[in-house]
Amino acid sequence: ETGVTQSPTHLIKTRGQQVTLRCSSQSGHNTVSWYQQALGQGPQFIFQYYREEENGRGNFPPRFSGLQFPNYSSELNVNALELDDSALYLCASSQQGADTGELFFGEGSRLTVL
Amino acid sequence: GQQLNQSPQSMFIQEGEDVSMNCTSSSIFNTWLWYKQDPGEGPVLLIALYKAGELTSNGRLTAQFGITRKDSFLNISASIPSDVGIYFCAGHLTGGFKTIFGAGTRLFVKA
């Protein structure tokens, strides 16, 4: 069984740039959720993708966008980066039918915005 | 919006001691979950609770789903150095699309 994998693990960008983060879901999982974890905080829900469509969204501006592909992998895109976007971005996969909140996380992509 | 309040924020204990941490919410949840995050890793699910009043164990870990559905606690017995990490509580509503996390309890264990 393959777990959730994310890339890149670390990256540095400057303010105003754009970034794309990638996630491969755990085998058998068709739903992907993205979370932002600022230093010293718990994960904050960004959005969820199911059947290649956004299934729900947290309190994040439109410059945070995503995609899900037919193989259930997903991308998180952030435009016009701001200093406060510096955080660990976590991808989590789950089985939509389960509806239990049980999430399987990747190791995250640590983004630093200078 | 929904918020989870975890306490304590951090704990410094001796190896072998028991640990207790809790989580409260202003809203009810159908599922309460406890995750642990090690440095440089993503959170890992420890225990999931599905019914009010439910008490569930996973090795040295025991967690309970509060009767009001607005709180949960996690106990760790006979702590060991590898218990060090950040423990997050999380809540989920059936039919909802998101799982909400608390700010975490940071556990430090001195050998």
Side-chain angles (χ1 to χ4, degrees):
Chain A
E1 186 177 84
T2 307
V4 177
T5 58
Q6 292 187 243
S7 64
T9 54
H10 296 82
L11 69 167
I12 300 173
K13 293 284 187 177
T14 56
R15 198 168 44 180
Q17 284 188 312
Q18 178 266 342
V19 68
T20 297
L21 307 177
R22 295 177 175 84
C23 171
S24 293
S25 61
Q26 181 166 312
S27 59
H29 286 178
N30 57 13
T31 302
V32 173
S33 301
W34 285 92
Y35 284 79
Q36 180 195 65
Q37 186 178 21
L39 202 60
Q41 301 295 318
Q44 298 292 314
F45 177 76
I46 302 175
F47 42 53
Q48 183 182 86
Y49 276 83
Y50 170 63
R51 288 186 174 178
E52 303 175 49
E53 291 191 358
E54 188 179 288
N55 194 36
R57 189 177 186 93
N59 190 26
F60 280 82
R63 59 190 185 84
F64 285 77
S65 63
L67 286 172
Q68 187 180 33
F69 301 99
N71 66 353
Y72 309 131
S73 66
S74 177
E75 287 182 355
L76 165 65
N77 299 290
V78 187
N79 294 322
L81 284 167
E82 301 176 0
L83 297 179
D84 285 349
D85 295 334
S86 295
L88 181 68
Y89 287 85
L90 293 163
C91 170
S93 72
S94 58
Q95 188 58 255
Q96 179 68 6
D99 196 14
T100 60
E102 295 183 25
L103 300 170
F104 296 82
F105 285 91
E107 294 187 349
S109 294
R110 184 162 295 283
L111 172 65
T112 302
V113 182
L114 302 175
Chain B
Q2 295 165 309
Q3 283 191 317
L4 299 185
N5 300 304
Q6 271 191 260
S7 63
Q9 287 187 332
S10 58
M11 304 180 72
F12 294 80
I13 63 170
Q14 286 286 134
E15 182 177 3
E17 289 184 356
D18 296 343
V19 171
S20 184
M21 59 189 78
N22 65 71
C23 191
T24 60
S25 170
S26 57
S27 309
I28 62 171
F29 290 106
N30 300 114
T31 307
W32 278 94
L33 309 109
W34 287 90
Y35 289 81
K36 182 191 178 200
Q37 186 174 30
D38 291 328
E41 306 281 333
V44 174
L45 181 65
L46 299 174
I47 290 180
L49 303 150
Y50 306 105
K51 289 168 60 175
E54 179 181 358
L55 187 72
T56 297
S57 293
N58 177 9
R60 295 179 295 106
L61 277 59
T62 301
Q64 184 157 29
F65 190 144
I67 291 290
T68 65
R69 296 167 66 190
K70 292 184 178 181
D71 62 325
S72 177
F73 73 74
L74 175 70
N75 288 340
I76 305 173
S77 62
S79 58
I80 58 178
S82 62
D83 290 334
V84 166
I86 307 174
Y87 291 80
F88 292 102
C89 65
H92 181 83
L93 268 176
T94 303
F97 49 80
K98 61 181 177 180
T99 299
I100 297 170
F101 287 77
T105 292
R106 285 145 188 80
L107 180 64
F108 301 89
V109 179
K110 184 177 178 182

